[in-house]
Amino acid sequence: VDNLAILFGGAVSGKPSDSVHVLSPKSIAWSDITTVISGPKPLARINMGFSGSLNGIIYMFGGIGIAGSEPMNDLWTLDSRNLKWSELSIAGAPSARYSMGFITIPGGNLLLYGGSRIVNGEVVASSVLMLFDVQAYAWTTIEPGSSSTPGARYLPAHRHEFITRKLLEVARCRS
């Protein structure tokens, strides 16, 4: 599905959804493609990480389902060209979380930052930065190169510009 915007999940009438819609920028028309996608389907969820397309493959991580449910730490791919979901089982995955930053970076890998976790029944913001290598299918925790870090946060809004290989971040919510 080249040159289309893809929308997965979110809350519909107050409940998590597992629907997939595409928006054609030419016709400005939405199409529900949920029933034509093959493979096992991820659970309905909100506040998941959903990356940009890497050669037609979109990655989705974590999120949270119905109210009161536990966060997830599953990693899925949506092959937008062949319309197929696949769940990836990767050792060393980040702990279950939702409302994290999840972006595609130059070179095609993914960065995951922060997010909300549930610890002893309390919502706790995370400051973990992890890289997912899409070629090696491996997660790596990245230790900051300086003592100055953005701190734990959830609902980060990432806008990235790679100027001398540094990631700039703006956050909406911080704990």
Side-chain angles (χ1 to χ4, degrees), residues 71 96-100 114-118 123-126 153-155:
R97 65 191 63 226
Y98 59 99
S99 300
M100 77 296 290
S116 297
R117 300 177 301 122
I118 308 284
V123 176
V124 177
S126 172
R153 61 193 63 215
Y154 59 95
L155 291 173

Side-chain angles (χ1 to χ4, degrees), residues 43-57:
L43 295 172
R45 62 190 72 202
I46 59 173
N47 297 340
M48 61 281 176
F50 203 68
S51 79
S53 175
L54 302 168
N55 298 320
I57 303 296

Side-chain angles (χ1 to χ4, degrees), residues 93-146:
S95 60
R97 65 191 63 226
Y98 59 99
S99 300
M100 77 296 290
F102 191 60
I103 61 172
T104 306
I105 60 174
N109 291 324
L110 305 167
L111 278 180
L112 179 144
Y113 183 76
S116 297
R117 300 177 301 122
I118 308 284
V119 178
N120 297 324
E122 299 290 324
V123 176
V124 177
S126 172
S127 61
V128 171
L129 175 64
M130 294 189 78
L131 174 88
F132 181 70
D133 183 318
V134 298
Q135 299 299 317
Y137 273 43
W139 286 103
T140 305
T141 300
I142 299 174
E143 298 297 331
S146 72

Side-chain angles (χ1 to χ4, degrees), residues 3 13 74-75 94 115 132 138:
N3 300 318
S13 300
D74 50 350
L75 180 64
F132 181 70

Side-chain angles (χ1 to χ4, degrees), residues 68-86:
S69 70
E70 292 294 317
M72 302 173 215
N73 76 331
D74 50 350
L75 180 64
W76 290 82
T77 61
L78 173 59
D79 181 332
S80 65
R81 293 182 178 145
N82 296 308
L83 298 177
K84 181 178 181 181
W85 280 113
S86 298

